[in-house]
Amino acid sequence: MISFDDKLQPLLGKKSADALETGLGLTTVGDLLRHYPRRYDERGKLTDIRSLEIDEHVTVQAEVRKCQKRQMKARRGQMTEAVITDGTSELHLVFFGKPAFVAEQELLPGTRALFAGKVGRYRQNLQLVHPAFEVLTAEQDGSSFLQAFLPVYPASQHINTWNIANCVKQLLEIWDGVPEDPLPADFREEQGLIGLEDALRAIHRPESWAQISVAQLRLKWDEALAVQLALAQRRKASTARPAPACARRSGGILDAFDARLPFTLTAGQVEVGEQVSSDLESTVPMNRLLQGEVGSGKTMVALRAMLQAVDAGRQSAMLAPTEVLAAQHARSLTEMLGDLAQAGQLGGAEDATRVTLLTGSMNTAQRRQALLDIVTGEAGIVVGTHAIIQEKVEFHSLGLVVVDEQHRFGVEQRAALSARGERENPHVLVMTATPIPRTVAMTVYGDLEVSALRELPGGRSPIKTSVVPVREKPTWLDRAFARVREEVAKGHQAYFVCPRIGDEEPAKSDDEDKRPALSVIDVATMLAAGPLRGLRIEILHGRMPPDEKDAVMRAFSANEVHVLVATTVIEVGVNVPNATVMAIMDADRFGVSQLHQLRGRVGRGSAPGLCLLVTEMPEMTATMERLRAVESTLDGFELAQLDLELRREGDILGAAQSGRRSGLKMLSLLRDEDIIADARTAAQQVVDADPDLEQHPGLAGMVATLLTEERAEYLEKT
């Protein structure tokens, strides 16, 4: 009997099995059967060519408009050029060498075929170089292409969608099916779900759209339930050890801090602050995610929570993703606390504590003193990077961990910090300035309670965002440089953000017209020699030595530097209220949420902010639509939803960021909110009654199959 774990080679042959493994990492029967079609083309219905994106690997059903072979001008040999169409738009094809002769013979005008390749651009035309193709003819007796629905699979340069379809067809003909459905019959009936075997057969070889729909519903439920069961088990495990109860103390350092606040907390800060305060008073470990707009006051909520822990005789640790941000957090916390951060010093307040910075680049004497302050408890608040969680760092009594931009930390790092206590787990508050759609919060952050800050504190200045379309309006770039000079003349400062540093080899592109991304080094040199000559310009990037980075940030904060040219190292937490303008070069190479994060670095003082999105992308492209969306709204939650709509969902849950497949291939975070919510409720009920799934072996097996430990680990890392 063929099982999900059986290897593909004995069943499909070495050539096909090797192609599936090399191109897609598929090695077992289960891997191939769970490699679902990305979409379905109806036989004869042509693909919308206008929807294609540059650098995307695509499969297109189109008609040949013309095809001709000619002698190459630059070198010996012949090439074949073809133009295919969907009836309204065109896509150019080019073949060299032997494939040029094959293409000339088979791609006759009027022929309809499937074409697969990576979309490039040559002389303003969309182009596929050496695309694989499969002509759709009635003579393909027995081929999967005779069916009404053509499954289009995620493919690669090593194996095309029609080869995958034939492998699946061959496998389904000899597959024995599922011996026992992992979902109990009563559960399937309650949710209106078909059996797993029927779903897998229908998803690959459907006979109607209705059949596709019911198959997808079942397979989405499998994935949603597997994820939610794993997250429910993690939530259960996180409460296995108690946390220290950090009751709020009247007349302590928190009350002293609140009494001297020069402003009123927003309603959101008060509400979330009460939620966090209540969590801290409990012995059930807090695991809360605090999301909010750039500048919404998350740090204030975190500081007040840390002071509550200090009042209870406990220490707090604050983790930042970079040394630059850790140093800035330590400075800003110290400044906010004033004499309340000067314990043991002349002029220190009666209830004062101490803020201690610990990073990997500190010299021996600084590190020794910091470690001493931490182990003795003199440091009530410890700020640093992952250096905090090294084994040599011993806390006197750790009660609360605050993690800033938690997606920058791996699960091992957070787990190591959470387990610092021998008998207790510290409370954990994780923060992100990237607003998160509800479905992502339930799926990626499903082991955390979620709070949100949506309003900005009073006094924050507005930020105007403008796209600078260099291709259509090159003079606008000169105007952008002039605006920077105007701001500097008023005493303000500016950022220029670039996609890469410039001392590395630029990434190669299949698109001959596409230049390498602009770099910090090149842009800084260009600005200093040209449009911003005479201004004080510095660079900042992640590969600079920590002391150099800190020196540059200090100089910029002190207005000793007019213009800072940087990578996205400034994306999170950098706070220079005097910086009023930011130019993001090659803005099309950044994501929506990243652009929103970056522009939050300006407009942080009394003067309004200006963010310029500089791009060479033409109008009427999907990329330009994305930039126009960022230009049109400052609502990060609205942009987060847009980002989810524009990005491939695998980018959120898997391969693009991790280099791994996520395992979530059918579930859509955009469209399946109801399924995710229902699965979360069902999973919690199961785990409450059966934490280890001992009475539900089918569900345990489904979790193991769809969510391997590696994938589960990544899910929590994201």
Side-chain angles (χ1 to χ4, degrees):
M1 185 169 181
I2 299 173
S3 73
F4 283 146
D5 296 327
D6 285 349
K7 296 294 183 182
L8 290 172
Q9 183 170 323
L11 305 172
L12 302 179
K14 188 176 189 309
K15 183 178 179 181
S16 294
D18 285 351
L20 288 167
E21 181 174 8
T22 303
L24 300 166
L26 309 178
T27 61
T28 67
V29 170
D31 288 343
L32 182 54
L33 291 180
R34 297 278 190 187
H35 187 72
Y36 307 130
R38 176 177 290 159
R39 70 174 197 274
Y40 300 88
D41 281 352
E42 293 184 67
R43 186 177 177 83
K45 189 174 182 180
L46 305 182
T47 306
D48 180 9
I49 290 175
R50 286 178 303 180
S51 66
L52 302 181
E53 284 276 357
I54 301 294
D55 292 336
E56 184 181 20
H57 192 284
V58 299
T59 299
V60 178
Q61 185 179 177
E63 182 175 304
V64 179
R65 194 170 74 79
K66 64 180 180 180
C67 182
Q68 60 184 26
K69 188 170 63 178
R70 67 173 176 83
Q71 198 70 27
M72 286 186 284
K73 297 176 182 178
R75 61 180 190 265
R76 292 177 59 188
Q78 293 181 314
M79 63 184 291
T80 294
E81 295 175 312
V83 177
I84 59 175
T85 180
D86 60 5
T88 57
S89 302
E90 293 182 344
L91 181 62
H92 291 243
L93 315 178
V94 60
F95 303 86
F96 303 100
K98 185 177 179 181
F101 294 92
V102 177
E104 182 199 22
Q105 292 172 351
E106 297 193 17
L107 298 182
L108 303 176
T111 299
R112 292 196 171 191
L114 290 175
F115 302 89
K118 192 173 184 179
V119 181
R121 189 174 60 216
Y122 181 69
R123 292 179 179 171
Q124 306 311 309
N125 293 318
L126 291 179
Q127 176 182 265
L128 299 181
V129 178
H130 271 307
F133 63 87
E134 181 88 350
V135 175
L136 300 175
T137 68
E139 285 72 41
Q140 293 166 312
D141 189 34
S143 166
S144 60
F145 293 108
L146 279 178
Q147 63 191 80
F149 294 90
L150 305 180
V152 179
Y153 291 90
S156 75
Q157 62 182 359
H158 299 284
I159 187 165
N160 299 307
T161 180
W162 47 88
N163 300 129
I164 299 168
N166 286 329
C167 288
V168 171
K169 176 177 178 290
Q170 184 180 340
L171 179 60
L172 287 176
E173 288 173 351
I174 59 174
W175 182 47
D176 302 308
V178 180
E180 185 175 355
D181 198 304
L183 290 186
D186 56 346
F187 186 88
R188 296 200 306 272
E189 183 177 351
E190 180 183 344
Q191 300 297 336
L193 305 175
I194 64 173
L196 179 57
E197 180 179 345
D198 291 340
L200 289 173
R201 291 190 184 278
I203 205 70
H204 292 292
R205 297 186 63 77
E207 296 178 358
S208 67
W209 286 112
Q211 197 177 51
I212 293 171
S213 179
V214 295
Q216 288 177 337
L217 178 62
R218 165 58 203 259
L219 298 173
K220 287 177 179 181
W221 256 99
D222 280 12
E223 293 181 355
L225 193 57
V227 171
Q228 295 303 332
L229 284 168
L231 292 172
Q233 287 179 311
R234 290 178 187 275
R235 287 194 297 272
K236 194 83 171 175
S238 70
T239 61
R241 292 196 301 176
C246 299
R248 179 159 182 167
R249 179 166 65 88
S250 179
I253 187 172
L254 175 56
D255 283 353
F257 176 73
D258 283 347
R260 61 178 70 181
L261 277 179
F263 52 83
T264 303
L265 296 174
T266 67
Q269 286 176 315
V270 172
E271 180 183 354
V272 174
E274 288 301 321
Q275 292 172 347
V276 172
S277 179
S278 177
D279 287 348
L280 288 173
E281 292 182 327
S282 172
T283 57
V284 176
M286 173 175 68
N287 282 286
R288 184 171 292 277
L289 171 68
L290 174 56
Q291 59 167 325
E293 292 280 11
V294 172
S296 59
K298 296 183 299 299
T299 303
M300 177 59 67
V301 172
L303 175 55
R304 295 182 70 250
M306 290 189 284
L307 295 180
Q308 181 171 330
V310 170
D311 274 338
R314 299 285 183 162
Q315 292 168 291
S316 297
M318 187 174 196
L319 269 66
T322 66
E323 292 200 354
V324 168
L325 185 53
Q328 178 147 335
H329 272 318
R331 284 197 298 272
S332 64
L333 293 178
T334 301
E335 290 169 4
M336 290 164 73
L337 288 169
D339 61 355
L340 293 174
Q342 298 174 5
Q345 299 178 38
L346 192 64
E350 182 179 349
D351 284 314
T353 186
R354 189 176 300 172
V355 177
T356 294
L357 175 67
L358 180 65
T359 63
S361 63
M362 296 173 74
N363 63 40
T364 303
Q366 292 172 325
R367 183 174 179 79
R368 184 182 296 116
Q369 184 60 53
L371 291 172
L372 182 62
D373 289 347
I374 295 169
V375 73
T376 60
E378 293 294 323
I381 297 174
V382 182
V383 183
T385 61
H386 66 275
I388 292 181
I389 60 177
Q390 302 302 316
E391 290 184 7
K392 294 179 181 178
V393 181
E394 293 185 23
F395 286 86
H396 177 70
S397 181
L398 183 61
L400 170 64
V401 176
V402 177
V403 183
D404 192 19
E405 291 306 322
Q406 78 110 6
H407 63 279
R408 302 290 184 97
F409 285 92
V411 63
E412 300 94 340
Q413 294 169 314
R414 286 196 285 117
L417 190 54
S418 294
R420 295 301 294 180
E422 292 183 6
R423 293 176 299 276
E424 296 176 320
N425 277 346
H427 297 283
V428 177
L429 176 67
V430 295
M431 305 190 299
T432 178
T434 304
I436 303 165
R438 181 169 178 261
T439 50
V440 180
M442 286 191 294
T443 306
V444 180
Y445 303 99
D447 56 339
L448 305 172
E449 297 298 322
V450 180
S451 297
L453 291 174
R454 298 195 65 135
E455 58 184 315
L456 296 181
R460 286 299 300 266
S461 300
I463 303 172
K464 177 177 173 55
T465 305
S466 294
V467 174
V468 180
V470 178
R471 180 188 295 265
E472 281 87 3
K473 299 176 180 177
T475 58
W476 282 29
L477 186 58
D478 295 331
R479 176 61 186 139
F481 294 144
R483 282 289 285 116
V484 172
R485 277 196 171 276
E486 289 168 11
E487 288 300 309
V488 172
K490 295 176 186 176
H492 298 307
Q493 297 160 275
Y495 296 100
F496 278 78
V497 181
C498 304
R500 65 186 186 94
I501 297 171
D503 58 359
E504 75 279 36
E505 190 72 27
K508 293 182 179 179
S509 171
D510 292 339
D511 183 355
E512 297 181 23
D513 284 359
K514 194 172 184 179
R515 58 162 174 73
L518 292 172
S519 72
V520 166
I521 293 173
D522 291 342
V523 168
T525 302
M526 178 271 293
L527 293 174
L532 302 186
R533 184 188 295 114
L535 300 186
R536 295 191 297 275
I537 300 172
E538 287 286 352
I539 66 172
L540 183 71
H541 58 75
R543 287 213 290 270
M544 292 169 59
D547 55 341
E548 285 186 28
K549 287 189 287 189
D550 193 52
V552 169
M553 278 310 305
R554 284 179 179 273
F556 190 63
S557 298
N559 200 6
E560 296 167 5
V561 172
H562 294 134
V563 177
L564 185 64
V565 185
T567 59
T568 55
V569 70
I570 64 157
E571 175 186 351
V572 175
V574 173
N575 183 29
V576 181
N578 194 51
T580 56
V581 61
M582 171 181 288
I584 303 178
M585 311 301 288
D586 282 344
D588 49 277
R589 299 178 190 247
F590 299 91
V592 169
S593 294
Q594 197 169 34
L595 292 171
H596 182 60
Q597 284 265 47
L598 285 166
R599 71 175 166 188
R601 300 305 110 207
V602 296
R604 303 179 72 87
S606 57
L610 173 64
C611 179
L612 303 171
L613 307 179
V614 182
T615 180
E616 293 182 358
M617 290 300 293
E619 295 286 355
M620 306 305 291
T621 60
T623 303
M624 184 58 91
E625 286 180 25
R626 192 169 73 235
L627 297 181
R628 293 295 183 191
V630 176
E631 179 185 52
S632 68
T633 181
L634 289 172
D635 188 330
F637 288 87
E638 181 181 329
L639 287 173
Q641 186 67 25
L642 173 73
D643 200 22
L644 181 58
E645 294 172 11
L646 292 173
R647 293 167 64 186
R648 290 177 181 158
E649 297 191 13
D651 293 348
I652 297 166
L653 293 172
Q657 293 172 353
S658 72
R660 308 170 178 171
R661 301 191 313 281
S662 75
L664 300 185
K665 302 167 184 177
M666 184 63 68
L667 192 69
S668 168
L669 298 181
L670 184 61
R671 297 179 296 274
D672 298 324
E673 179 174 334
D674 290 345
I675 293 175
I676 295 170
D678 290 345
R680 181 179 172 89
T681 301
Q684 192 62 55
Q685 292 172 350
V686 171
V687 170
D688 283 344
D690 182 16
D692 298 321
L693 302 181
E694 293 177 352
Q695 299 167 32
H696 297 82
L699 295 180
M702 188 173 72
V703 172
T705 300
L706 291 181
L707 206 69
T708 63
E709 186 59 33
E710 183 180 78
R711 289 170 181 167
E713 183 180 292
Y714 175 70
L715 191 63
E716 192 171 317
K717 282 182 182 181
T718 305

